[in-house]
Amino acid sequence: QQPVQSPQAVILREGEDAVINCSSSKALYSVHWYRQKHGEAPVFLMILLKGGEQKGHDKISASFNEKKQQSSLYLTASQLSYSGTYFCGTTRGSARQLTFGSGTQLTVLP
Amino acid sequence: GAVVSQHPSWVICKSGTSVKIECRSLDFQATTMFWYRQFPKQSLMLMATSNEGSKATYEQGVEKDKFLINHASLTLSTLTVTSAHPEDSSFYICSAPPGGEETQYFGPGTRLLVL
């Protein structure tokens, strides 16, 4: 079952913050976050494993609440290069197949 | 991160012909690779799991006789779209997790246009 992402789209000014949410009705093993620019393949951002962890690098971080089956991606002080469509991908159990959310289109304006 | 390549990057073919797409892991071995399809403005949909040395596992609704998958070595999986039709036009992307890792790295994708 496809995870639900929100919001569907967000427009920011450079330097503003954004939060993208990903939730599932099923128990999750891991959550993967990717960014895809138009006409290109998705680029891996980070992975969060079962255990309620939080990760981050530079100004992008994420959290995974295993009990709530939710993950959030935090983008702080957004840059123009952050524009793109963000997808969360989830796995269940030991299976590695990713089920992707519908995506969140992020546009950062100067 | 690990590098995955795909060839060709784009292909245009006539309806009824077959098209082969290659997915290679360049700096790691992958016993498992995944094939996705993405239509414009939509999410990525898993088509099949490619397993080295054994049969691929197809997702519900994906015709195994139409989308032939071969994973003959630890670094190469191929997807052949047989008797392609215009509705098969899409962006095909493969991914592979390096051994022992959960992270999946995506290839650059192959854009298929069937006329």
Side-chain angles (χ1 to χ4, degrees), chain A residues 43-60:
Chain A
V43 172
F44 171 76
L45 294 177
M46 64 186 74
I47 178 175
L48 300 104
L49 299 175
K50 180 176 165 180
E53 60 174 344
Q54 197 154 353
K55 271 191 177 179
H57 56 81
D58 199 13
K59 296 186 175 73
I60 300 176

Side-chain angles (χ1 to χ4, degrees), chain B residues 48-104:
Chain B
T49 301
S50 174
N51 303 299
E52 189 267 334
S54 64
K55 290 183 179 180
T57 306
Y58 291 82
E59 295 301 300
Q60 194 170 9
V62 178
E63 299 175 56
K64 62 180 181 181
D65 295 329
K66 181 169 182 63
F67 298 99
L68 301 178
I69 290 173
N70 184 275
H71 195 147
S73 78
L74 288 171
T75 59
L76 173 64
S77 173
T78 60
L79 169 69
T80 301
V81 184
T82 62
S83 187
H85 291 286
E87 57 266 29
D88 298 323
S89 298
S90 188
F91 190 41
Y92 291 86
I93 320 171
C94 69
S95 74
E101 288 190 34
E102 297 292 335
T103 303
Q104 288 189 33

Side-chain angles (χ1 to χ4, degrees), chain A residues 1 15-16 18 22-23 27 39 42 46-47 51 58 64 75 82 87 89 101-102:
Chain A
Q1 194 166 0
E16 292 181 338
C22 175
S23 65
M46 64 186 74
I47 178 175
D58 199 13
F64 177 24
L75 302 116
Y82 286 4
F87 290 99
S102 54

Side-chain angles (χ1 to χ4, degrees), chain A residues 69-85:
Chain A
Q69 293 148 202
Q70 292 177 347
S71 178
S72 295
L73 184 71
Y74 307 94
L75 302 116
T76 57
S78 58
Q79 305 167 15
L80 295 176
S81 61
Y82 286 4
S83 291
T85 302

